[in-house]
Amino acid sequence: MINFLRSFDQRAFKMINLPTVQSKLRPYSTGLPNDRKLPLLKLDGYTLRKIVKHDCEAIHHLVQELANCLNMPDAPQISAKALEADGFGSRRFYEGFVAESHKLKQVVGYAIYYFSYSTWQGKSLYMEDMYIRPEDRKNRIAISFFHLISQAALAENCMRMNFCGLKDNKPAVELFQSLGADNLTLKEGWHYYRIPRHGIEELAQPSIITKFNP
């Protein structure tokens, strides 16, 4: 995956048609002590930059908009305040980028990621979510998000970048395939599992150990 990230870093600039981000734009930082200084990126009519605390309300709104598009309006259970606390508290659980529309003067897309670890390859980056308002798509925002997140991965010497996608989301699947991403479910047979909160609470009980046979 690291070779893919390196080659993608070069291809993205050709697609975005910028000479280099570093030479064109200044490094952008949220000002937090452990923040990674990464460049912002300007497209026609948009600026992509690191998430800052006051973006959380707009991101929360877009998360709900995404859930509505997926016919899952009751799925989001997080508040804007929780996003603030989890992203800008003493311990950061996620980082990300937003796309700001110059015309609307508001956030119209976001991409959130966090760092994880592989016992086989070491540092990894997991992209949790990416959403762009339908009317702002086809403006190179998605490929630009991938570019900036790839820079974040390389800055931390990550060996791979992981993310999930719905199989019925054909435009997203086509984009992922065009970027050289592997579908591990098809290629290696890995399936993605989840234990919800009530399951975690049950597993945390001491009695759980005696409920299962050795």
Side-chain angles (χ1 to χ4, degrees), residues 116-124 159-160 162 184 188 190:
S116 57
Y117 199 79
S118 164
T119 54
W120 287 5
Q121 292 184 306
K123 298 176 184 177
S124 300
M159 296 303 293
R160 62 191 190 187
N162 299 322
L184 294 184
E188 299 182 9
W190 293 100

Side-chain angles (χ1 to χ4, degrees), residues 24-95:
K24 189 177 182 71
L25 300 165
R26 63 179 176 79
Y28 178 82
S29 172
T30 61
L32 292 171
N34 296 324
D35 188 40
R36 298 162 181 80
K37 291 184 178 180
L38 295 171
L40 55 77
L41 192 154
K42 287 188 180 294
L43 303 175
D44 291 339
Y46 300 90
T47 295
L48 277 66
R49 57 171 176 77
K50 284 292 295 290
I51 289 173
V52 294
K53 190 174 182 179
H54 70 252
D55 293 322
C56 290
E57 190 69 45
I59 293 171
H60 183 259
H61 177 78
L62 291 173
V63 168
Q64 185 61 56
E65 187 174 306
L66 170 59
N68 294 342
C69 290
L70 297 174
N71 295 317
M72 302 171 65
D74 299 326
Q77 300 176 20
I78 196 168
S79 65
K81 288 293 184 184
L83 284 170
E84 289 184 14
D86 295 342
F88 300 93
S90 57
R91 180 178 178 182
R92 299 189 70 176
F93 286 90
Y94 70 87
E95 299 181 41

Side-chain angles (χ1 to χ4, degrees), residues 7-8 15 20 26 40 51 54 109 115 118 184 194 208:
S7 62
F8 173 71
M15 298 174 72
T20 61
R26 63 179 176 79
L40 55 77
I51 289 173
H54 70 252
F115 293 97
S118 164
L184 294 184
R194 176 181 296 148
I208 192 69

Side-chain angles (χ1 to χ4, degrees), residues 187-208:
K187 183 178 180 180
E188 299 182 9
W190 293 100
H191 288 255
Y192 186 71
Y193 291 92
R194 176 181 296 148
I195 296 178
R197 176 58 184 257
H198 66 83
I200 296 173
E201 291 173 349
E202 183 176 351
L203 283 170
Q205 298 298 319
S207 59
I208 192 69

